[in-house]
Amino acid sequence: MVIALAMMCILTGASAPGASASHVTVESSSMVVSVDQPSGVMFTDAVNLSGTSTQPLRNTSWTIVNISGSTPITVLSGPYLTSVVPLADGVYRWTLLVDLQGVDCTCYVELSTIDEQHRPFSVHHVVYVGDDHQRPVLGVDNPQSYNTPHLSGEPFMLQPSTTVELKLIQPSLDSTNISVFGQLCEAPFEVCLGPPFSVSIPHRLNNQSLYLDLDANQLALNEGIWRLTVHVTDELLRSSHRISLPLVHDTTPPETSLNVPVLVQEGEVFLVFAEVDDGYEGSISTLTWFVVDNEGVTRSPTVAERLSEHQLSLNLTRAGTYTLELTVRDHAGNTARVSQQVMVENLKPIARISVDGLTVAPSNTVKLGPGDNWSLSGTMSQDNEPIEYLWVINEATSIRGVPSLTQTDFSGTGLHTVELIVFDDDGATDAQVIEVMILKPPQEEVAGTSPLAMTVLGLLILVALAALPFIKRQRPTESDLPRWQPSAKADAMFAASRAGFDATVEEDEP
Protein backbone atom coordinates (compact mmCIF):
# COMPACT_ATOMS: atom_id res chain seq x y z
CA MET A 1 0.00 0.00 0.00
CA VAL A 2 2.84 2.35 0.86
CA ILE A 3 4.54 1.71 -2.48
CA ALA A 4 1.28 2.28 -4.34
CA LEU A 5 0.74 5.58 -2.59
CA ALA A 6 4.31 6.60 -3.23
CA MET A 7 3.76 6.07 -6.96
CA MET A 8 1.19 8.88 -7.11
CA CYS A 9 2.50 11.66 -9.31
CA ILE A 10 2.26 14.53 -6.83
CA LEU A 11 5.14 16.92 -6.89
CA THR A 12 6.81 18.20 -3.76
CA GLY A 13 8.07 21.74 -4.36
CA ALA A 14 11.67 22.70 -3.50
CA SER A 15 13.06 26.02 -2.40
CA ALA A 16 14.44 28.31 -5.04
CA PRO A 17 18.22 28.24 -5.42
CA GLY A 18 19.94 30.64 -3.06
CA ALA A 19 17.07 30.85 -0.55
CA SER A 20 16.81 29.08 2.79
CA ALA A 21 14.32 26.21 2.92
CA SER A 22 11.37 27.40 5.01
CA HIS A 23 8.32 25.48 3.85
CA VAL A 24 7.01 23.14 1.15
CA THR A 25 3.86 23.72 -0.92
CA VAL A 26 1.97 21.09 -2.90
CA GLU A 27 -0.66 22.17 -5.42
CA SER A 28 -3.27 20.60 -7.63
CA SER A 29 -5.84 22.21 -9.89
CA SER A 30 -8.23 22.76 -6.95
CA MET A 31 -6.20 22.23 -3.80
CA VAL A 32 -3.08 23.72 -2.17
CA VAL A 33 -1.34 22.24 0.89
CA SER A 34 1.74 23.81 2.49
CA VAL A 35 4.13 22.45 5.15
CA ASP A 36 5.75 24.93 7.52
CA GLN A 37 8.85 22.82 8.20
CA PRO A 38 11.55 22.39 5.51
CA SER A 39 12.36 19.05 3.90
CA GLY A 40 14.92 17.17 6.01
CA VAL A 41 13.87 18.69 9.33
CA MET A 42 15.28 16.92 12.39
CA PHE A 43 13.07 15.41 15.14
CA THR A 44 14.17 13.59 18.27
CA ASP A 45 11.30 11.55 19.72
CA ALA A 46 8.24 12.76 17.82
CA VAL A 47 7.26 14.09 14.41
CA ASN A 48 5.54 17.45 14.65
CA LEU A 49 4.42 18.93 11.33
CA SER A 50 2.02 21.75 10.58
CA GLY A 51 0.82 23.81 7.68
CA THR A 52 -2.18 25.27 5.85
CA SER A 53 -4.63 24.00 3.28
CA THR A 54 -7.36 25.34 1.01
CA GLN A 55 -9.60 22.42 2.01
CA PRO A 56 -10.50 21.12 5.45
CA LEU A 57 -8.57 17.83 4.91
CA ARG A 58 -11.35 15.64 6.22
CA ASN A 59 -10.57 11.91 6.21
CA THR A 60 -6.89 12.63 5.52
CA SER A 61 -4.74 9.64 6.43
CA TRP A 62 -1.04 9.74 7.26
CA THR A 63 1.82 7.25 6.93
CA ILE A 64 5.43 7.38 8.10
CA VAL A 65 7.79 5.30 5.92
CA ASN A 66 11.37 4.40 6.80
CA ILE A 67 13.70 4.74 3.77
CA SER A 68 16.99 4.28 5.64
CA GLY A 69 17.56 0.93 3.95
CA SER A 70 17.11 -0.37 0.44
CA THR A 71 13.49 -1.41 1.13
CA PRO A 72 10.88 1.08 2.39
CA ILE A 73 9.20 0.00 5.65
CA THR A 74 6.07 1.52 7.17
CA VAL A 75 6.69 2.69 10.74
CA LEU A 76 3.28 4.05 11.74
CA SER A 77 0.03 5.13 10.08
CA GLY A 78 -3.27 6.69 11.07
CA PRO A 79 -6.65 7.67 9.59
CA TYR A 80 -6.83 11.32 10.68
CA LEU A 81 -4.66 14.37 11.29
CA THR A 82 -4.15 15.62 14.83
CA SER A 83 -6.13 18.84 14.25
CA VAL A 84 -7.64 20.97 11.49
CA VAL A 85 -8.70 24.53 12.42
CA PRO A 86 -10.37 27.01 10.01
CA LEU A 87 -8.56 30.35 9.81
CA ALA A 88 -10.59 32.13 7.13
CA ASP A 89 -12.82 31.35 4.19
CA GLY A 90 -11.00 28.61 2.29
CA VAL A 91 -7.97 28.58 4.65
CA TYR A 92 -7.39 25.83 7.21
CA ARG A 93 -4.49 25.13 9.57
CA TRP A 94 -3.59 21.52 10.17
CA THR A 95 -1.17 19.76 12.55
CA LEU A 96 0.22 16.24 12.82
CA LEU A 97 1.88 15.06 16.02
CA VAL A 98 3.16 11.46 16.13
CA ASP A 99 5.17 9.91 18.98
CA LEU A 100 8.24 8.07 17.57
CA GLN A 101 10.23 7.52 20.78
CA GLY A 102 12.97 4.97 20.23
CA VAL A 103 12.87 5.29 16.42
CA ASP A 104 15.95 6.33 14.44
CA CYS A 105 15.43 6.68 10.70
CA THR A 106 15.51 8.62 7.53
CA CYS A 107 11.75 8.74 6.84
CA TYR A 108 9.13 10.51 4.81
CA VAL A 109 5.67 11.47 5.98
CA GLU A 110 2.82 11.01 3.52
CA LEU A 111 -0.56 12.75 3.80
CA SER A 112 -3.24 11.21 1.55
CA THR A 113 -6.69 12.66 0.84
CA ILE A 114 -9.20 13.28 -1.98
CA ASP A 115 -9.66 16.68 -3.59
CA GLU A 116 -12.94 18.27 -4.72
CA GLN A 117 -12.77 16.42 -8.05
CA HIS A 118 -12.52 13.11 -6.13
CA ARG A 119 -8.94 12.59 -7.28
CA PRO A 120 -6.15 11.25 -5.03
CA PHE A 121 -3.98 13.97 -3.52
CA SER A 122 -0.77 13.35 -1.55
CA VAL A 123 1.95 15.30 0.24
CA HIS A 124 5.38 13.73 0.89
CA HIS A 125 7.83 15.29 3.33
CA VAL A 126 11.29 13.92 4.22
CA VAL A 127 12.22 14.04 7.93
CA TYR A 128 15.07 12.72 10.09
CA VAL A 129 14.13 11.06 13.40
CA GLY A 130 16.60 10.26 16.19
CA ASP A 131 20.37 10.17 15.79
CA ASP A 132 21.15 7.02 13.77
CA HIS A 133 20.38 5.60 10.32
CA GLN A 134 20.41 9.00 8.72
CA ARG A 135 21.69 9.47 5.17
CA PRO A 136 21.33 11.85 2.22
CA VAL A 137 18.16 11.49 0.16
CA LEU A 138 18.65 11.93 -3.57
CA GLY A 139 15.94 12.24 -6.20
CA VAL A 140 13.88 14.58 -8.28
CA ASP A 141 10.77 16.47 -7.25
CA ASN A 142 8.82 13.23 -7.07
CA PRO A 143 8.40 10.99 -4.01
CA GLN A 144 8.80 7.93 -6.24
CA SER A 145 12.53 8.66 -6.40
CA TYR A 146 12.92 8.32 -2.63
CA ASN A 147 12.48 4.55 -2.65
CA THR A 148 12.80 3.47 -6.30
CA PRO A 149 16.11 2.32 -7.77
CA HIS A 150 15.47 3.96 -11.14
CA LEU A 151 13.28 6.70 -12.51
CA SER A 152 10.82 6.07 -15.30
CA GLY A 153 9.05 8.58 -17.49
CA GLU A 154 10.44 10.97 -20.06
CA PRO A 155 14.21 10.68 -20.49
CA PHE A 156 16.61 13.61 -20.25
CA MET A 157 17.74 14.88 -23.66
CA LEU A 158 21.40 15.68 -24.30
CA GLN A 159 21.45 18.42 -26.93
CA PRO A 160 24.48 17.94 -26.87
CA SER A 161 24.84 19.00 -23.22
CA THR A 162 22.16 19.14 -20.54
CA THR A 163 21.91 20.16 -16.90
CA VAL A 164 19.87 17.79 -14.77
CA GLU A 165 18.50 19.04 -11.47
CA LEU A 166 18.12 16.57 -8.62
CA LYS A 167 16.71 17.14 -5.16
CA LEU A 168 19.28 16.49 -2.41
CA ILE A 169 18.19 16.42 1.23
CA GLN A 170 20.92 16.01 3.88
CA PRO A 171 20.93 15.52 7.64
CA SER A 172 23.05 18.69 7.90
CA LEU A 173 21.39 21.41 5.88
CA ASP A 174 24.60 23.47 5.61
CA SER A 175 26.77 20.62 4.31
CA THR A 176 28.32 21.34 0.90
CA ASN A 177 31.09 18.75 0.83
CA ILE A 178 29.57 15.97 -1.23
CA SER A 179 30.85 13.57 -3.89
CA VAL A 180 28.87 12.39 -6.90
CA PHE A 181 29.44 8.96 -8.45
CA GLY A 182 28.02 7.85 -11.76
CA GLN A 183 27.93 4.80 -14.02
CA LEU A 184 26.80 4.68 -17.64
CA CYS A 185 25.58 1.92 -19.94
CA GLU A 186 23.62 1.83 -23.20
CA ALA A 187 20.12 0.64 -22.34
CA PRO A 188 17.65 1.09 -25.22
CA PHE A 189 15.07 -1.18 -23.58
CA GLU A 190 15.81 -0.35 -19.91
CA VAL A 191 18.36 -3.17 -19.83
CA CYS A 192 22.09 -2.54 -20.19
CA LEU A 193 23.53 -3.96 -23.40
CA GLY A 194 26.95 -4.23 -21.76
CA PRO A 195 28.68 -3.73 -18.42
CA PRO A 196 28.38 -0.18 -17.00
CA PHE A 197 31.46 2.03 -16.86
CA SER A 198 32.25 4.73 -14.31
CA VAL A 199 32.17 8.39 -15.30
CA SER A 200 33.09 11.64 -13.60
CA ILE A 201 30.17 14.06 -13.51
CA PRO A 202 30.65 17.81 -12.95
CA HIS A 203 28.11 19.05 -10.41
CA ARG A 204 26.97 22.07 -8.43
CA LEU A 205 25.08 22.23 -5.14
CA ASN A 206 22.75 25.07 -4.25
CA ASN A 207 20.72 24.65 -1.10
CA GLN A 208 18.68 21.43 -1.70
CA SER A 209 19.27 21.35 -5.46
CA LEU A 210 22.04 19.29 -7.02
CA TYR A 211 22.86 20.21 -10.64
CA LEU A 212 24.58 17.63 -12.85
CA ASP A 213 26.30 19.03 -15.97
CA LEU A 214 26.12 16.26 -18.59
CA ASP A 215 28.13 16.68 -21.80
CA ALA A 216 27.83 13.93 -24.40
CA ASN A 217 31.27 14.63 -25.87
CA GLN A 218 33.02 14.57 -22.49
CA LEU A 219 31.19 11.37 -21.59
CA ALA A 220 32.16 9.88 -25.00
CA LEU A 221 28.58 8.92 -25.83
CA ASN A 222 27.40 7.71 -29.21
CA GLU A 223 23.87 8.51 -30.28
CA GLY A 224 21.48 6.24 -28.44
CA ILE A 225 19.55 5.66 -25.23
CA TRP A 226 21.68 5.49 -22.10
CA ARG A 227 21.18 4.88 -18.39
CA LEU A 228 23.05 7.00 -15.85
CA THR A 229 23.12 5.58 -12.32
CA VAL A 230 23.99 8.19 -9.68
CA HIS A 231 24.55 8.27 -5.92
CA VAL A 232 26.20 10.77 -3.57
CA THR A 233 28.16 10.64 -0.31
CA ASP A 234 28.59 13.39 2.27
CA GLU A 235 31.60 14.31 4.37
CA LEU A 236 30.76 11.56 6.88
CA LEU A 237 30.77 9.03 3.99
CA ARG A 238 27.05 8.46 4.38
CA SER A 239 25.78 7.32 1.02
CA SER A 240 22.43 7.92 -0.60
CA HIS A 241 20.52 5.23 -2.43
CA ARG A 242 21.14 4.88 -6.17
CA ILE A 243 18.84 6.30 -8.79
CA SER A 244 18.96 5.73 -12.53
CA LEU A 245 18.27 8.47 -15.06
CA PRO A 246 17.35 7.65 -18.69
CA LEU A 247 19.33 9.77 -21.18
CA VAL A 248 18.88 10.20 -24.92
CA HIS A 249 21.76 11.47 -27.05
CA ASP A 250 20.44 12.24 -30.53
CA THR A 251 21.46 15.22 -32.64
CA THR A 252 20.68 14.05 -36.20
CA PRO A 253 17.27 13.65 -37.86
CA PRO A 254 16.15 10.14 -38.78
CA GLU A 255 16.74 8.80 -42.28
CA THR A 256 13.34 8.45 -43.92
CA SER A 257 12.12 7.08 -47.26
CA LEU A 258 8.76 6.17 -48.80
CA ASN A 259 7.89 3.05 -50.74
CA VAL A 260 5.01 4.13 -53.01
CA PRO A 261 3.92 2.87 -56.48
CA VAL A 262 4.37 5.49 -59.19
CA LEU A 263 1.22 4.59 -61.17
CA VAL A 264 -2.03 3.03 -59.95
CA GLN A 265 -5.49 2.61 -61.42
CA GLU A 266 -8.40 4.62 -60.14
CA GLY A 267 -10.12 2.74 -57.33
CA GLU A 268 -7.19 0.33 -56.93
CA VAL A 269 -6.07 -0.38 -53.36
CA PHE A 270 -2.32 0.12 -52.86
CA LEU A 271 0.02 0.16 -49.88
CA VAL A 272 2.45 2.86 -48.74
CA PHE A 273 5.42 2.00 -46.51
CA ALA A 274 7.64 4.38 -44.53
CA GLU A 275 11.16 3.30 -43.64
CA VAL A 276 12.60 5.23 -40.69
CA ASP A 277 16.07 4.71 -39.25
CA ASP A 278 17.32 6.94 -36.44
CA GLY A 279 20.64 5.16 -36.15
CA TYR A 280 20.29 3.44 -32.78
CA GLU A 281 18.30 0.76 -31.00
CA GLY A 282 15.13 1.75 -29.18
CA SER A 283 14.58 4.95 -31.10
CA ILE A 284 11.03 6.31 -30.91
CA SER A 285 9.66 8.44 -33.74
CA THR A 286 6.34 10.12 -34.38
CA LEU A 287 5.04 9.99 -37.97
CA THR A 288 2.61 12.53 -39.41
CA TRP A 289 1.01 11.73 -42.80
CA PHE A 290 -0.72 14.00 -45.30
CA VAL A 291 -2.41 13.27 -48.65
CA VAL A 292 -2.54 16.17 -51.14
CA ASP A 293 -4.72 15.81 -54.27
CA ASN A 294 -4.20 17.47 -57.64
CA GLU A 295 -6.37 20.43 -56.55
CA GLY A 296 -4.11 21.15 -53.57
CA VAL A 297 -6.56 19.91 -50.93
CA THR A 298 -4.67 18.40 -47.98
CA ARG A 299 -6.09 15.80 -45.64
CA SER A 300 -4.88 13.30 -43.05
CA PRO A 301 -5.35 9.57 -43.60
CA THR A 302 -8.48 8.13 -42.04
CA VAL A 303 -8.39 5.52 -39.31
CA ALA A 304 -9.30 2.81 -41.86
CA GLU A 305 -6.43 3.89 -44.13
CA ARG A 306 -3.82 3.79 -41.36
CA LEU A 307 -2.79 0.15 -40.98
CA SER A 308 0.02 1.13 -38.64
CA GLU A 309 2.14 4.18 -37.91
CA HIS A 310 4.51 3.19 -40.74
CA GLN A 311 1.99 1.77 -43.26
CA LEU A 312 -1.04 3.12 -45.14
CA SER A 313 -3.63 1.44 -47.34
CA LEU A 314 -5.08 3.93 -49.86
CA ASN A 315 -7.86 3.70 -52.42
CA LEU A 316 -7.98 6.92 -54.47
CA THR A 317 -11.20 7.05 -56.49
CA ARG A 318 -10.50 10.13 -58.60
CA ALA A 319 -7.88 10.34 -61.31
CA GLY A 320 -5.04 12.81 -60.99
CA THR A 321 -1.63 13.37 -59.44
CA TYR A 322 -1.46 12.97 -55.66
CA THR A 323 1.37 13.81 -53.27
CA LEU A 324 2.05 11.83 -50.11
CA GLU A 325 3.88 13.84 -47.46
CA LEU A 326 5.49 12.41 -44.32
CA THR A 327 7.03 14.26 -41.38
CA VAL A 328 9.07 12.20 -38.91
CA ARG A 329 10.00 13.56 -35.49
CA ASP A 330 12.30 11.53 -33.26
CA HIS A 331 12.43 11.48 -29.46
CA ALA A 332 15.00 14.28 -29.35
CA GLY A 333 12.89 16.61 -31.51
CA ASN A 334 14.83 16.21 -34.77
CA THR A 335 12.55 16.20 -37.81
CA ALA A 336 12.76 14.86 -41.36
CA ARG A 337 10.29 15.49 -44.19
CA VAL A 338 9.83 13.44 -47.37
CA SER A 339 7.22 13.45 -50.14
CA GLN A 340 6.35 11.20 -53.07
CA GLN A 341 3.98 11.65 -56.01
CA VAL A 342 1.65 8.93 -57.28
CA MET A 343 -0.29 9.10 -60.55
CA VAL A 344 -3.86 7.80 -60.36
CA GLU A 345 -4.99 6.80 -63.86
CA ASN A 346 -8.65 6.65 -64.81
CA LEU A 347 -9.91 3.30 -66.13
CA LYS A 348 -12.32 3.73 -69.07
CA PRO A 349 -15.66 1.94 -68.59
CA ILE A 350 -16.84 -0.78 -71.02
CA ALA A 351 -20.53 -0.91 -71.97
CA ARG A 352 -22.19 -4.36 -72.01
CA ILE A 353 -25.87 -5.17 -72.73
CA SER A 354 -27.20 -8.49 -71.48
CA VAL A 355 -30.49 -10.38 -71.60
CA ASP A 356 -31.18 -12.91 -68.85
CA GLY A 357 -27.48 -12.96 -67.95
CA LEU A 358 -26.26 -13.51 -71.51
CA THR A 359 -24.17 -10.74 -73.07
CA VAL A 360 -25.30 -9.50 -76.46
CA ALA A 361 -22.60 -8.86 -79.04
CA PRO A 362 -22.54 -5.33 -80.51
CA SER A 363 -24.79 -4.72 -83.56
CA ASN A 364 -26.64 -8.01 -83.07
CA THR A 365 -30.42 -8.37 -83.22
CA VAL A 366 -32.26 -9.87 -80.26
CA LYS A 367 -35.81 -11.22 -80.51
CA LEU A 368 -37.78 -10.75 -77.33
CA GLY A 369 -41.27 -11.81 -76.38
CA PRO A 370 -44.06 -12.39 -76.77
CA GLY A 371 -44.73 -11.51 -73.15
CA ASP A 372 -43.27 -8.93 -70.78
CA ASN A 373 -41.00 -11.08 -68.55
CA TRP A 374 -37.75 -9.84 -70.09
CA SER A 375 -35.37 -6.92 -69.59
CA LEU A 376 -32.28 -5.40 -71.15
CA SER A 377 -29.59 -4.97 -68.48
CA GLY A 378 -26.43 -2.86 -68.41
CA THR A 379 -25.13 -4.14 -65.07
CA MET A 380 -22.53 -6.32 -66.78
CA SER A 381 -20.73 -3.17 -67.91
CA GLN A 382 -17.19 -3.08 -66.56
CA ASP A 383 -15.44 -0.39 -64.50
CA ASN A 384 -13.56 -0.17 -61.21
CA GLU A 385 -15.94 2.42 -59.80
CA PRO A 386 -19.68 3.19 -59.93
CA ILE A 387 -20.90 4.25 -63.38
CA GLU A 388 -23.94 6.07 -64.78
CA TYR A 389 -26.29 4.63 -67.44
CA LEU A 390 -27.91 6.38 -70.42
CA TRP A 391 -30.23 4.44 -72.77
CA VAL A 392 -31.23 5.80 -76.20
CA ILE A 393 -34.14 4.10 -78.04
CA ASN A 394 -34.55 4.66 -81.76
CA GLU A 395 -32.38 7.78 -81.47
CA ALA A 396 -35.44 9.58 -80.16
CA THR A 397 -36.06 8.56 -76.56
CA SER A 398 -33.45 8.70 -73.79
CA ILE A 399 -33.66 7.16 -70.32
CA ARG A 400 -31.00 8.08 -67.75
CA GLY A 401 -29.97 6.65 -64.42
CA VAL A 402 -31.54 3.18 -64.64
CA PRO A 403 -29.47 0.01 -65.12
CA SER A 404 -32.08 -1.89 -67.21
CA LEU A 405 -35.00 -1.53 -69.65
CA THR A 406 -38.30 -3.42 -69.77
CA GLN A 407 -41.07 -3.71 -72.37
CA THR A 408 -42.85 -0.71 -70.90
CA ASP A 409 -39.95 1.50 -72.01
CA PHE A 410 -40.72 0.76 -75.70
CA SER A 411 -43.48 2.26 -77.79
CA GLY A 412 -44.70 -1.07 -79.16
CA THR A 413 -43.79 -4.25 -80.95
CA GLY A 414 -41.50 -4.42 -83.92
CA LEU A 415 -37.84 -3.60 -84.53
CA HIS A 416 -36.08 -1.03 -82.31
CA THR A 417 -32.53 0.33 -82.10
CA VAL A 418 -31.13 0.42 -78.52
CA GLU A 419 -27.91 2.19 -77.50
CA LEU A 420 -26.36 1.96 -74.00
CA ILE A 421 -23.92 4.72 -72.99
CA VAL A 422 -21.97 4.38 -69.72
CA PHE A 423 -19.74 7.07 -68.19
CA ASP A 424 -17.74 7.49 -64.96
CA ASP A 425 -17.09 10.50 -62.72
CA ASP A 426 -14.10 11.56 -64.84
CA GLY A 427 -16.20 11.85 -68.00
CA ALA A 428 -14.85 8.71 -69.73
CA THR A 429 -17.58 6.96 -71.76
CA ASP A 430 -18.30 3.86 -73.81
CA ALA A 431 -21.34 2.76 -75.82
CA GLN A 432 -22.94 -0.36 -77.33
CA VAL A 433 -25.71 -0.52 -79.96
CA ILE A 434 -27.99 -3.50 -80.64
CA GLU A 435 -31.33 -4.10 -82.40
CA VAL A 436 -34.29 -5.48 -80.52
CA MET A 437 -37.22 -7.24 -82.23
CA ILE A 438 -40.23 -7.29 -79.92
CA LEU A 439 -42.58 -10.04 -81.11
CA LYS A 440 -46.37 -9.72 -81.17
CA PRO A 441 -48.52 -11.72 -78.78
CA PRO A 442 -50.51 -14.72 -80.28
CA GLN A 443 -53.92 -12.98 -80.10
CA GLU A 444 -52.59 -10.12 -82.18
CA GLU A 445 -51.39 -12.60 -84.88
CA VAL A 446 -54.90 -14.25 -85.26
CA ALA A 447 -56.70 -10.92 -85.38
CA GLY A 448 -54.29 -9.45 -87.87
CA THR A 449 -54.49 -12.38 -90.40
CA SER A 450 -58.22 -13.33 -90.19
CA PRO A 451 -59.17 -12.31 -93.83
CA LEU A 452 -56.41 -14.40 -95.33
CA ALA A 453 -57.20 -17.31 -93.01
CA MET A 454 -60.87 -17.24 -94.00
CA THR A 455 -60.00 -17.21 -97.70
CA VAL A 456 -57.69 -20.19 -97.37
CA LEU A 457 -60.27 -22.04 -95.31
CA GLY A 458 -62.99 -21.39 -97.93
CA LEU A 459 -60.78 -22.68 -100.74
CA LEU A 460 -60.07 -25.85 -98.76
CA ILE A 461 -63.83 -26.42 -98.26
CA LEU A 462 -64.58 -25.92 -101.99
CA VAL A 463 -61.89 -28.36 -102.98
CA ALA A 464 -63.28 -30.94 -100.55
CA LEU A 465 -66.84 -30.55 -101.91
CA ALA A 466 -65.67 -30.86 -105.52
CA ALA A 467 -63.81 -34.04 -104.75
CA LEU A 468 -66.71 -35.72 -102.86
CA PRO A 469 -68.62 -37.08 -105.97
CA PHE A 470 -65.51 -38.73 -107.21
CA ILE A 471 -65.03 -40.37 -103.88
CA LYS A 472 -68.64 -41.69 -103.81
CA ARG A 473 -68.47 -43.14 -107.36
CA GLN A 474 -65.53 -45.21 -106.53
CA ARG A 475 -66.50 -48.90 -105.85
CA PRO A 476 -64.40 -51.78 -105.04
CA THR A 477 -63.49 -53.82 -108.18
CA GLU A 478 -63.59 -57.53 -108.37
CA SER A 479 -59.96 -57.66 -107.73
CA ASP A 480 -60.54 -55.61 -104.64
CA LEU A 481 -62.96 -58.07 -103.00
CA PRO A 482 -61.85 -61.23 -101.29
CA ARG A 483 -62.59 -64.49 -103.13
CA TRP A 484 -64.04 -67.47 -101.28
CA GLN A 485 -63.53 -71.17 -102.47
CA PRO A 486 -66.51 -73.42 -101.33
CA SER A 487 -65.67 -76.99 -100.35
CA ALA A 488 -67.67 -80.19 -101.32
CA LYS A 489 -68.67 -80.80 -97.71
CA ALA A 490 -70.13 -77.36 -97.42
CA ASP A 491 -72.12 -77.83 -100.65
CA ALA A 492 -73.65 -81.06 -99.41
CA MET A 493 -74.68 -79.55 -96.15
CA PHE A 494 -76.22 -76.59 -97.89
CA ALA A 495 -78.24 -78.93 -100.26
CA ALA A 496 -79.62 -80.96 -97.38
CA SER A 497 -80.74 -77.88 -95.53
CA ARG A 498 -82.59 -76.61 -98.50
CA ALA A 499 -84.54 -79.86 -99.23
CA GLY A 500 -88.28 -79.26 -99.31
CA PHE A 501 -87.80 -75.52 -99.05
CA ASP A 502 -90.11 -73.59 -101.35
CA ALA A 503 -88.76 -70.23 -102.15
CA THR A 504 -92.09 -69.15 -103.77
CA VAL A 505 -93.56 -66.13 -102.01
CA GLU A 506 -97.20 -66.68 -101.33
CA GLU A 507 -99.39 -63.69 -101.22
CA ASP A 508 -102.11 -63.39 -98.65
CA GLU A 509 -105.63 -64.23 -99.74
CA PRO A 510 -107.85 -61.32 -100.11
Side-chain angles (χ1 to χ4, degrees), residues 299-308 312-313:
R299 68 174 180 87
S300 299
T302 63
V303 176
E305 293 174 331
R306 190 185 295 269
L307 300 181
S308 66
L312 302 180
S313 176

Side-chain angles (χ1 to χ4, degrees), residues 126-278:
V126 176
V127 297
Y128 294 101
V129 181
D131 298 323
D132 297 328
H133 307 294
Q134 297 178 352
R135 66 173 187 173
V137 176
L138 181 65
V140 295
D141 286 341
N142 188 328
Q144 177 187 354
S145 64
Y146 299 153
N147 54 4
T148 305
H150 63 86
L151 300 179
S152 60
E154 290 297 320
F156 296 94
M157 302 295 170
L158 304 182
Q159 298 276 355
S161 62
T162 301
T163 299
V164 176
E165 181 181 359
L166 301 179
K167 190 177 184 66
L168 178 61
I169 302 173
Q170 304 179 76
S172 300
L173 297 178
D174 56 351
S175 176
T176 59
N177 187 15
I178 64 168
S179 300
V180 179
F181 301 90
Q183 287 187 321
L184 271 172
C185 70
E186 188 173 4
F189 307 105
E190 297 186 357
V191 177
C192 290
L193 300 181
F197 56 92
S198 299
V199 292
S200 177
I201 302 176
H203 60 276
R204 294 171 286 118
L205 180 63
N206 191 339
N207 200 11
Q208 290 186 347
S209 295
L210 176 64
Y211 299 94
L212 305 180
D213 297 323
L214 305 179
D215 189 294
N217 294 328
Q218 292 181 358
L219 297 175
L221 299 182
N222 298 322
E223 289 194 358
I225 300 176
W226 297 81
R227 173 187 289 180
L228 174 63
T229 303
V230 180
H231 73 280
V232 302
T233 60
D234 59 13
E235 66 272 11
L236 299 179
L237 300 182
R238 294 175 297 191
S239 178
S240 70
H241 62 287
R242 298 174 184 267
I243 64 170
S244 295
L245 308 177
L247 306 177
V248 174
H249 176 42
D250 187 357
T251 58
T252 59
E255 296 182 1
T256 307
S257 62
L258 291 178
N259 187 355
V260 185
V262 178
L263 179 65
V264 296
Q265 298 291 334
E266 187 181 34
E268 175 187 354
V269 178
F270 64 97
L271 300 179
V272 179
F273 299 91
E275 297 181 0
V276 179
D277 184 10
D278 208 9

